[in-house]
Amino acid sequence: MSSLKALTANLAARNDQALRLLFVARPDLITPPVPDFAALAARACTRASLSRALDSLSLRELHVAQALVVLADRDQEHGVTTADLVEAIPGCPPELLRALLESLTTRALIYSNSGEIESADEHFTVSSLREVMGAHPAGLGRPYLELAATVPLAGARMVSVAAGLRAAGIKLPPASDPLAAARALQRWADSLDGLDALLAAAPPGSVEVLRHLSTHPVGTVPRAGRPIPQLQDRLTPVDSLLAYGLIVGITETSVEMPRAVGIALRNGAIIDDFRADPPAVNTDDGGTVSASIAANAALSAVTELLRNVAALASAVEKTPVSTLRSGGVGVRELRRLAAALQADEQLTTFLLELAVAANLITLDVDTSLWRLNSQTFADFSHLPRQEQWRILALAWCATDRLPALVGQQASASASRPAGTINALGPLACRPDAAALRQVAVAALTNLDRDFLQRTAATTTTTANATATAQAQSPGRRPALSATAIMDRAHWEQPRLARRLRKLLDGFLREAAWLGILGSAALSPFGTELISGDPEAAAATLASVLPVPVAHFLLQADLTAVAPGYLEPEITAQVMAIADAEGQGPASQYRISADSLRRAFNAGHTEATVLEFLTRHSATGVPQPVEYLIRDTAARYGSLRVGSATSFLIAQDPEALADFLALPSSSALQLRLLAPTVAISSADPAELSTALAAVGLHAAVETAKSSSHPATNRAATVTAAKRTEDDALVHGPELKLDAVGAQLATLRSKPAWVPSGGETATALGLEALQRAIRLREQVCITLVDGAGNQERLVLVPLSVQGGRVRVFDPLRETERVVSIHRVMEVEPL
């Protein structure tokens, strides 16, 4: 029976609750909605969907899935029983095995001949699962038959091996062709109870070679395609293994250990390193740290983060950041910003990427400059500190950027050349960044929780001693090393953890800058944030932050020192009339003639500046400060710069004066600059229309439009791109009404409705893959570019990259056909 049809029947037999669990685990199956169960099953068998589903599996679930793939019959003639799996995974208890099978069934990665796991006799894997897992599931090589059928060199060597074994007195049936030799070697290896005795008689070093290939079955060997030596000769370890068929040459330089040999080395088990429990919390590398010390370090990081973001915004507002032709920000600009922040380039890169992710800095597409988003930053700076931190932390969790990669060399690919990764450049963007970041912080959270639970259990057993210890010392948190986090991440999501290895150090460094970590231990508000409750994290942070102050110390050297964190409104006003300088918990600002002119340009006056300083300075206004303010105000305004949307030039001054005197011109806000020149806040079209209404027809001169609409459009496009990438990594957001509508659509149609589209493509690929495995002829209906159909009897050889390679026995030639040209595949 077709795997696709069997899965369709299995899905249709599930109740609504089981289907809801499937859609929660794999939301991409109903995005976009599917018309029927057949299409749902076809989509569940696609490589992209299966790969995404496998990424979400834990190590235990992945081991069970790998064992099923190894044991399952590729042609679905019979399934795998639970008893078979118990023998194949000796370290897995039966109760846990049933739970893991139920999890895989819920995800539609496997299906059974019964709706309940407890009563299921056999389990089947969905089609394409073997291909998605790769040629070597569980670190085992391919079977003899598959090697003989797909690797010509291996098949020829097996014929020689079988002949040599018969000559040595081993009972094997005669084999003149590769497939017969492979079957003979397969039966011999399956019944090979004396592998240890065989290896004991082999040359020294043979066991080490096999052990090396036990988890990675393909290895490099010089002259792997050499003639097979006779067993009676004096042999090297590799020659001995080749002569016994325990390894098979697949190319001139590489060998592969067949699956039966690998299983024999594992004493008949497929998974011999099954880990039922997560890795124990090991604090030997990092030790433990006092909870109060960790919290203080995290609070210091939060304070420094907010100060640096404000300083970065001020620097970008003064001088926008230029970009390179190849994209991103160059080293020179980074060094300028680092000097302004008094920070290193690594931290500056992170702050710049974080500010862009939080939409505080945006790209002006007309000038290719990164500018401060003034309105967004103004709203941001007036928020309480905990809300500012929450916005930045959530932006870090969701961004698809990897600041830690900046400065590294990117390898060349088909779409781009090799080069240095620049800040805000395209090479620092990865669609799976948020998912990998989530894997790291989830491992952190679980390790921290396990440590606290273990500590609580110890406290329960030694209540009196613990009570005395708690009275003498505060609580402690684990300072986790990257090794411990990586080990836990591999147990929780092994496929994603492999991609995380090179990025983990950068994630931990950024988490420390954000205050999620303090002294390498999780902070209380960091724990709540990565547990999915940012509001609670912000509330916890607010409860431990010191109370903001409303005054500063104004000194005669033209500086203002805040003895703590200033209230946001006061900080905004101080930043308007002074420049931030220095580092540390006490913020320092310097008043200068330039900063005062900036304040006057923003609408402040001499009186308002003096009144603000008098009201909030705990030391009054020193005389040098007052003199500077009055002197700068006296000099201010000798030259003035303003803005106008349109201008009006007239050759007749009297005609211009008459127009300005009309009541209808008052709405245009015209100002006379010279007898023949006036400016207006109205746009040129509106001004031209007003002139035409009184009988004056003007020539309109065009000018470039404002860049703000383009900037807004760029921001919209960027946000849409980020949303697309998030959907690719995490899957689309699942809505309850969408699930209900999908269930209604599925229940309104019969279980099997063969149609075109996904279902027809999946059926055709399934038939082609089965024919490739069995080397069978099939009848293929092809259509050409003009729509003409042709039915041919062909032998499929391989399917890859959207194309199928076939052999035409009538013409004795090979040809390559695009998959979309294949209309139907029928077995003969």
Side-chain angles (χ1 to χ4, degrees):
M1 183 180 183
S2 167
S3 170
L4 184 63
K5 293 181 180 180
L7 179 60
T8 300
N10 181 274
L11 293 174
R14 300 188 183 192
N15 56 35
D16 288 354
Q17 180 60 26
L19 290 175
R20 289 179 187 276
L21 292 176
L22 170 63
F23 299 154
V24 169
R26 299 176 64 180
D28 59 302
L29 295 185
I30 59 171
T31 307
V34 291
D36 48 52
F37 279 106
L40 178 65
R43 190 174 296 179
C45 295
T46 58
R47 294 179 64 92
S49 181
L50 285 174
S51 179
R52 191 179 294 116
L54 290 177
D55 286 346
S56 66
L57 297 184
S58 68
L59 183 62
R60 300 183 302 180
E61 293 166 334
L62 186 62
H63 276 165
V64 174
Q66 289 173 336
L68 281 165
V69 166
V70 172
L71 293 172
D73 177 23
R74 302 197 68 175
D75 299 316
Q76 307 295 324
E77 293 180 2
H78 60 82
V80 182
T81 66
T82 306
D84 294 335
L85 289 171
V86 170
E87 294 180 1
I89 314 175
C92 183
E95 297 79 9
L96 177 59
L97 179 60
R98 284 192 291 271
L100 297 176
L101 288 171
E102 184 175 359
S103 176
L104 295 176
T105 303
T106 299
R107 288 179 166 88
L109 296 175
I110 66 173
Y111 58 93
S112 61
N113 56 359
S114 175
E116 300 294 333
I117 294 296
E118 290 77 5
S119 60
D121 296 327
E122 295 181 325
H123 306 279
F124 301 86
T125 61
V126 300
S127 62
S128 301
L129 184 60
R130 183 184 301 269
E131 286 72 20
V132 174
M133 281 192 175
H136 308 114
L140 295 171
R142 289 171 286 182
Y144 283 103
L145 278 173
E146 185 175 344
L147 287 171
T150 58
V151 183
L153 178 62
R157 293 295 179 267
M158 288 182 195
V159 174
S160 301
V161 168
L165 291 176
R166 285 196 306 273
I170 297 176
K171 294 181 180 180
L172 289 180
S176 58
D177 63 274
L179 292 181
R183 293 189 185 94
L185 290 174
Q186 182 72 47
R187 286 193 295 271
W188 173 71
D190 289 340
S191 61
L192 190 60
D193 298 329
L195 180 60
D196 293 338
L198 181 65
L199 293 177
S206 302
V207 177
E208 286 72 15
V209 174
L210 290 182
R211 295 296 179 192
H212 178 76
L213 297 173
S214 61
T215 55
H216 302 86
V218 178
T220 301
V221 173
R223 298 188 305 110
R226 72 191 77 170
I228 301 298
Q230 297 298 318
L231 291 174
Q232 294 83 358
D233 299 339
R234 186 180 182 88
L235 303 177
T236 64
V238 172
D239 284 339
S240 173
L241 297 176
L242 287 171
Y244 276 108
L246 300 181
I247 60 175
V248 178
I250 54 176
T251 68
E252 292 297 331
T253 58
S254 59
V255 296
E256 182 171 338
M257 183 171 66
R259 180 171 298 172
V261 181
I263 294 176
L265 283 176
R266 300 179 184 183
N267 297 319
I270 294 175
I271 306 295
D272 61 345
D273 57 348
F274 185 83
R275 297 164 67 176
D277 298 319
V281 181
N282 184 8
T283 57
D284 294 340
D285 295 337
T288 60
V289 63
S290 169
S292 59
I293 292 177
N296 289 339
L299 285 175
S300 176
V302 170
T303 303
E304 191 72 4
L305 172 73
L306 298 181
R307 186 192 67 79
N308 280 327
V309 169
L312 176 65
S314 177
V316 174
E317 184 178 27
K318 292 177 185 177
T319 307
V321 181
S322 60
T323 58
L324 301 171
R325 288 186 178 181
S326 58
V329 176
V331 176
R332 182 178 300 177
E333 284 290 87
L334 272 182
R335 289 175 178 170
R336 176 180 68 81
L337 292 174
L341 300 180
Q342 299 184 29
D344 57 39
E345 294 180 21
Q346 199 173 48
L347 176 58
T348 303
T349 299
F350 169 70
L351 294 170
L352 184 60
E353 293 271 9
L354 184 64
V356 171
N359 202 33
L360 302 179
I361 296 175
T362 55
L363 179 65
D364 184 345
V365 294
D366 289 333
T367 60
S368 295
L369 295 175
W370 291 96
R371 300 182 184 275
L372 182 68
N373 191 337
S374 302
Q375 185 58 51
T376 302
F377 182 75
D379 296 339
F380 173 84
S381 60
H382 284 84
L383 292 172
R385 287 171 294 172
Q386 65 271 16
E387 291 300 319
Q388 294 180 8
W389 174 83
R390 184 178 67 87
I391 290 173
L392 295 174
L394 288 178
W396 176 75
C397 291
T399 183
D400 57 1
R401 308 284 305 172
L402 293 171
L405 296 182
V406 172
Q408 300 181 15
Q409 292 294 317
S411 57
S413 66
S415 59
R416 65 171 186 269
T420 303
I421 301 177
N422 297 314
L424 300 179
L427 297 181
C429 178
R430 276 181 54 172
D432 61 349
L436 296 178
R437 199 175 288 113
Q438 181 59 35
V439 172
V441 297
L444 265 172
T445 305
N446 294 332
L447 284 171
D448 185 74
R449 185 194 63 238
D450 290 352
F451 175 82
L452 295 178
Q453 289 177 350
R454 188 182 68 179
T455 304
T458 305
T459 302
T460 303
T461 56
T462 58
N464 295 332
T466 304
T468 303
Q470 288 179 346
Q472 295 176 353
S473 63
R476 304 193 69 81
R477 305 295 288 265
L480 299 168
S481 65
T483 302
I485 297 170
M486 198 63 230
D487 196 23
R488 182 59 178 257
H490 177 73
W491 188 81
E492 292 176 349
Q493 287 181 275
R495 283 170 59 94
L496 287 180
R498 286 194 289 268
R499 288 180 258 164
L500 174 66
R501 190 174 302 277
K502 294 183 179 180
L503 305 174
L504 181 59
D505 289 339
F507 287 158
L508 297 179
R509 185 167 54 248
E510 293 163 7
W513 286 332
L514 283 163
I516 296 174
L517 295 177
S519 297
L522 273 174
S523 63
F525 48 88
T527 302
E528 293 174 333
L529 173 78
I530 60 183
S531 297
D533 196 350
E535 288 75 16
T540 301
L541 178 60
S543 66
V544 295
L545 281 172
V547 179
V549 297
H551 65 276
F552 46 81
L553 307 177
L554 200 57
Q555 304 180 117
D557 62 351
L558 307 181
T559 60
V561 179
Y565 181 80
L566 285 173
E567 294 179 354
E569 295 79 6
I570 299 176
T571 302
Q573 295 186 59
V574 171
M575 290 291 293
I577 63 176
D579 295 316
E581 64 177 23
Q583 291 180 317
S587 303
Q588 182 172 320
Y589 306 89
R590 179 168 297 278
I591 301 174
S592 64
D594 289 339
S595 66
L596 289 172
R597 279 191 290 269
R598 185 177 70 240
F600 295 152
N601 288 337
H604 292 278
T605 64
E606 173 190 341
T608 58
V609 171
L610 287 172
E611 188 273 334
F612 169 75
L613 295 177
T614 302
R615 185 170 72 253
H616 293 286
S617 174
T619 56
V621 181
Q623 190 178 59
V625 177
E626 183 179 355
Y627 281 178
L628 177 65
I629 294 172
R630 295 190 185 280
D631 182 66
T632 305
R635 297 172 182 272
Y636 179 76
S638 57
L639 291 176
R640 292 184 175 272
V641 176
S643 62
T645 304
S646 59
F647 61 87
L648 178 62
I649 300 177
Q651 295 180 353
D652 185 356
E654 294 182 359
L656 180 57
D658 292 341
F659 178 69
L660 292 175
L662 294 174
S664 59
S665 66
S666 59
L668 302 175
Q669 298 180 358
L670 284 161
R671 285 193 300 160
L672 197 64
L673 300 182
T676 58
V677 180
I679 58 174
S680 171
S681 60
D683 58 51
E686 184 179 354
L687 180 57
S688 176
T689 302
L691 288 168
V694 296
L696 301 175
H697 299 280
V700 180
E701 297 182 8
T702 59
K704 290 184 178 180
S705 61
S706 173
S707 65
H708 295 294
T711 303
N712 292 338
R713 286 194 298 272
T716 302
V717 171
T718 303
K721 177 65 169 60
R722 187 177 297 118
T723 303
E724 275 184 20
D725 290 343
D726 287 345
L728 288 174
V729 176
H730 306 293
E733 184 180 356
L734 205 60
K735 297 181 180 180
L736 293 179
D737 54 350
V739 173
Q742 180 64 84
L743 287 174
T745 301
L746 292 173
R747 296 301 186 194
S748 66
K749 295 181 180 179
W752 177 255
V753 184
S755 58
E758 295 175 272
T759 307
T761 303
L763 282 173
L765 286 174
E766 187 179 53
L768 286 174
Q769 289 166 351
R770 185 180 188 279
I772 291 171
R773 290 194 301 270
L774 302 179
R775 295 281 179 162
E776 291 181 343
Q777 293 184 351
V778 292
C779 184
I780 300 180
T781 302
L782 301 176
V783 61
D784 59 18
N788 301 315
Q789 291 190 1
E790 182 183 16
R791 291 174 61 86
L792 299 173
V793 175
L794 304 171
V795 180
L797 302 178
S798 64
V799 177
Q800 188 176 11
R803 297 185 177 186
V804 55
R805 184 168 63 93
V806 297
F807 174 74
D808 189 339
L810 182 62
R811 299 180 177 86
E812 296 186 351
T813 58
E814 287 189 9
R815 58 186 295 189
V816 177
V817 180
S818 298
I819 290 293
H820 68 274
R821 299 287 187 193
V822 178
M823 295 293 101
E824 188 177 9
V825 180
E826 297 178 355
L828 291 180

